[in-house]
Amino acid sequence: MNPKTEKIISGFYGIWELISEKCSYSIGEPPKSGTYEINFDRDKVHFHVSWEDKDYKKFQVKFAGIPDGIKYPYEDNPHVDTVKYEITSAGDFMSIAYKGNLIINEASRVLSEDGNFLYVTQKVLGPDGELHANSSVYKRQVML
């Protein structure tokens, strides 16, 4: 990975705490609570997202990718053929999941100017064939 990309991605590393009241969902309801963990191992960025819904049911998802802008085969989900991770020219950290040439899921991660907040907008293909956006806000957890 080139040093510029590595420096940008390092700003995203850490554990982020969901601020539920700042979320805006067009599909479903925002979680009651949650965390978004991002770390790096060799050439891959690893994500671990966990959340709890309004009924206190717990969920989690883990995924990883190489942030080089290249589509790679994805075998963990029958609805997804390939995934791509990249840093845009604006410094957004994007991940896109495809089924053929159709975008199934697109996530944009943007840091606040001071690096203390993470804004995640996830666009999900709905039953109507359109992408619907859910936006979440996270605050960086301070590690002691």
Side-chain angles (χ1 to χ4, degrees), residues 17-140:
E17 187 80 29
L18 181 70
I19 305 172
S20 183
E21 62 273 10
K22 295 205 179 245
C23 297
S24 173
Y25 277 40
S26 63
I27 287 186
E29 292 185 39
K32 184 175 123 337
S33 63
T35 59
Y36 205 106
E37 184 175 351
I38 304 171
N39 59 57
F40 184 72
D41 178 23
R42 294 182 221 117
D43 286 337
K44 282 190 176 180
V45 176
H46 297 265
F47 299 86
H48 181 203
V49 185
S50 60
W51 66 97
E52 188 173 84
D53 71 9
K54 65 179 176 68
D55 298 320
Y56 301 96
K57 189 171 179 185
K58 295 182 181 200
F59 302 88
Q60 70 173 341
V61 63
K62 293 181 181 183
F63 53 99
I66 301 168
D68 59 4
I70 297 171
K71 284 185 182 179
Y72 290 95
Y74 191 75
E75 298 164 2
D76 292 341
N77 184 330
H79 305 288
V80 175
D81 296 331
T82 56
V83 293
K84 174 173 77 169
Y85 296 86
E86 66 183 336
I87 298 295
T88 67
S89 59
D92 299 356
F93 193 169
M94 301 288 299
S95 57
I96 304 171
Y98 300 87
K99 181 70 171 181
N101 288 324
L102 183 65
I103 294 175
I104 301 297
N105 187 306
E106 176 182 287
S108 170
R109 298 160 195 88
V110 179
L111 292 173
S112 62
E113 209 170 290
D114 63 6
N116 290 322
F117 294 93
L118 173 67
Y119 303 97
V120 179
T121 300
Q122 186 171 5
K123 295 179 182 175
V124 181
L125 188 66
D128 59 1
E130 298 292 322
L131 287 174
H132 297 271
N134 290 344
S135 298
S136 302
V137 180
Y138 295 83
K139 183 170 180 31
R140 186 183 296 276

